[in-house]
Amino acid sequence: MSLYEIAFSGELAPGAKLEQVEANLTRLFQADAQRIAALFSGRRIVIKQNLDHTSVEKYRQAMARAGAVAEVRPMPVEVEEIELAPPPAEEPAAAPQTSTSPAPALSTRPSPQPLKVTPRDEYMAAFVDVEAPDFGIAPAGVDLQDARPAAKAPDVDLSQFSLAPVGSDMGERRRASDAPVPDTSHLKLAD
């Protein structure tokens, strides 16, 4: 997707008056007089960057209605090239231990080697001495979390509790105000 920038150099549309264009741009950008005066300084002022084509056209048309001629340019596309150092040479396999002592458990996962990057400019040259491991990307579907033992259920003493018989009422105790509702079906209202 191409990105654009819109800029203004103080150029007016044919037949537009400077005072009217300044007033229109003040309303359009909701800016104070000092910022609008900077737009008419004669220098190229970038209004907005990184806009797609439809957005930049909306800005250009709004400025044209205000009486200003806007300049639209495509944004330069910067492609960074990074040169990676060759991968480290494989170390020869160590000789097997012949001692009777048990061998320490070795991790099956190799430790990440530091990444060596050739700096592309003076900014990146400041990071040459930073030692950061070169973490690779695991294949899709691989579980990256270390295995953990299953959680053991807690030992809880429940001997002090008992169960109520089937069908028993487990609700609240009745209060004195929970008396039965009187029967009012025999009462009638007079017309």
Side-chain angles (χ1 to χ4, degrees):
M1 178 172 92
S2 299
L3 295 177
Y4 300 89
E5 71 178 8
I6 187 162
F8 181 64
S9 302
E11 185 179 348
L12 303 179
K17 296 182 180 175
L18 178 63
E19 295 79 22
Q20 185 62 39
V21 174
E22 285 179 342
N24 291 343
L25 290 179
T26 301
R27 278 194 310 276
L28 178 65
F29 294 127
Q30 299 175 355
D32 57 354
Q34 183 180 4
R35 289 182 189 244
I36 297 301
L39 288 176
F40 289 95
S41 65
R43 294 180 297 137
R44 183 177 182 270
I45 306 290
V46 176
I47 305 294
K48 190 87 169 167
Q49 294 179 333
N50 298 327
L51 295 170
D52 60 6
H53 184 69
T54 56
S55 299
V56 81
E57 276 302 308
K58 287 179 185 177
Y59 272 91
R60 189 190 61 72
Q61 289 172 0
M63 290 184 70
R65 283 192 301 270
V69 177
E71 176 186 348
V72 175
R73 286 190 186 172
M75 296 286 297
V77 178
E78 295 181 18
V79 178
E80 295 182 19
E81 292 186 23
I82 298 176
E83 182 179 327
L84 297 176
E90 296 281 329
E91 294 183 18
Q97 296 180 349
T98 57
S99 66
T100 58
S101 64
L106 296 177
S107 172
T108 58
R109 211 179 284 171
S111 63
Q113 298 296 322
L115 178 65
K116 303 234 185 274
V117 179
T118 305
R120 67 176 182 267
D121 55 19
E122 57 274 352
Y123 175 76
M124 290 303 294
F127 299 101
V128 168
D129 296 328
V130 173
E131 290 186 19
D134 181 17
F135 291 110
I137 298 176
V142 173
D143 187 10
L144 299 178
Q145 187 167 359
D146 295 333
R148 286 191 266 164
K152 184 181 136 191
D155 294 330
V156 179
D157 181 22
L158 301 175
S159 62
Q160 63 197 13
F161 298 107
S162 63
L163 294 175
V166 175
S168 34
D169 187 13
M170 300 295 292
E172 295 179 12
R173 287 185 170 185
R174 293 190 175 263
R175 293 173 279 184
S177 63
D178 289 344
V181 179
D183 182 22
T184 58
S185 60
H186 63 282
L187 300 175
K188 295 182 181 172
L189 293 175
D191 289 332

